[in-house]
Amino acid sequence: MNFFKSISGQIQGKSLRQLVANFRNEYISNGIVESDLKENPIDQFEIWFNEAVSNKLREPNAMHLATATPDGKPSGRVVLLKGFDERGFIFYTNYSSRKSHELEANNHASLTFLWIELYKQVRIEGLVHRIPPIEANHYFSSRPRGSQISAWASMQSQPVNNRHELELRMEDIEKEFSGKPVPRPENWGGYCLAPSKVEFWLGRSNRLHDRILYELQADNTWTKQRLSP
């Protein structure tokens, strides 16, 4: 049942702060059959990701990236997956950003995908490293020109006086590269998260969800284990 319908009779005279505990959907799915799962979580992720794409979910490559400082202070934000292969999961950013500073100081990180329309979630933990510059160059050259220019104009995560200052910086960069290709800034590039743990979660009725955890072993094979919801 849609939670808006379920609480529609309770809204009058109450704030959403009072009602948020009543937001509830029942998750109905066929569950995860362990024998159907791939031996490698990257291959299994591809199946689930293709399902999200084929169902035309909005931004199926949106993922939550969690980082932490060396002393354990966490931060999170949503970024976009821009590739995945046997190495892991790739995303791009400004190397001067907060997330990059934290990754350079502590390269343990996690990713979370949530495809709520499918009642599916994937959680990934591992170590992050920079991808080769030639690979970053190739991706940067494929970006829309406006995105290329904004990568030069934005000093990501740094204070800015106002929006107008950003727009003037964009105009200056546009003039600088007028009539010629926009090269990749040296402080902009990609990261790859190499997974050591990957958990596939599927919502089921009565909150008795399915959770299957893959863990990387010393010999580079993967084990699978069912977890309690």
Side-chain angles (χ1 to χ4, degrees):
M1 179 184 292
N2 183 292
F3 75 77
F4 287 110
K5 292 181 180 179
S6 69
I7 67 169
S8 59
Q10 308 173 45
I11 290 178
Q12 188 172 3
K14 294 184 179 180
S15 71
L16 287 179
R17 294 185 185 187
Q18 295 171 297
L19 295 174
V20 67
N22 296 327
F23 290 3
R24 185 171 293 107
N25 281 316
E26 192 64 64
Y27 302 146
I28 306 298
S29 72
N30 293 325
I32 296 177
V33 178
E34 290 162 79
S35 60
D36 291 342
L37 296 174
K38 298 293 185 182
E39 293 303 311
N40 187 303
I42 303 293
D43 295 334
Q44 186 60 44
F45 175 85
E46 184 172 12
I47 292 172
W48 278 27
F49 183 73
N50 285 342
E51 184 179 354
V53 172
S54 64
N55 277 276
K56 298 181 170 56
L57 302 191
R58 188 169 185 176
E59 303 280 18
N61 60 326
M63 58 187 185
H64 180 270
L65 167 66
T67 59
T69 60
D71 60 348
K73 295 178 181 177
S75 65
R77 75 290 293 158
V78 175
V79 298
L80 297 178
L81 177 71
K82 288 300 179 179
F84 64 95
D85 54 30
E86 67 282 352
R87 296 171 299 170
F89 301 83
I90 297 168
F91 58 96
Y92 293 87
T93 189
N94 187 309
Y95 288 144
S96 300
S97 65
R98 176 180 176 180
K99 72 177 84 63
S100 292
H101 286 309
E102 292 183 355
L103 288 172
E104 298 294 339
N106 174 10
N107 69 334
H108 292 264
S110 69
L111 301 170
T112 303
F113 292 84
L114 176 63
W115 303 305
I116 193 62
E117 297 88 346
L118 303 177
Y119 310 140
K120 288 184 174 182
Q121 174 181 264
V122 181
R123 298 174 58 239
I124 304 159
E125 299 176 23
L127 298 178
V128 176
H129 59 271
R130 291 191 185 192
I131 65 170
I134 190 171
E135 190 174 346
N137 288 342
H138 178 74
Y139 172 70
F140 189 82
S141 67
S142 74
R143 303 182 85 205
R145 188 175 178 86
S147 297
Q148 293 175 337
I149 291 173
S150 69
W152 280 88
S154 173
M155 294 181 288
Q156 195 173 110
S157 301
Q158 301 304 308
V160 63
N161 291 324
N162 50 56
R163 175 79 186 185
H164 184 59
E165 182 178 310
L166 280 175
E167 293 170 347
L168 289 177
R169 200 177 298 158
M170 280 282 288
E171 292 176 6
D172 290 340
I173 299 298
E174 285 177 329
K175 292 175 182 176
E176 181 178 350
F177 294 114
S178 178
K180 53 187 177 182
V182 181
R184 178 180 64 89
E186 289 187 5
N187 68 336
W188 191 98
Y191 287 106
C192 177
L193 187 148
S196 57
K197 294 183 180 181
V198 183
E199 181 190 308
F200 293 86
W201 177 98
L202 179 61
R204 300 197 67 173
S205 61
N206 300 315
R207 297 303 189 257
L208 204 64
H209 311 306
D210 282 340
R211 296 173 62 190
I212 305 295
L213 176 66
Y214 288 75
E215 290 192 89
L216 185 63
Q217 304 302 299
D219 61 357
N220 285 323
T221 62
W222 292 89
T223 60
K224 296 194 295 287
Q225 183 176 33
R226 180 175 287 271
L227 303 179
S228 296

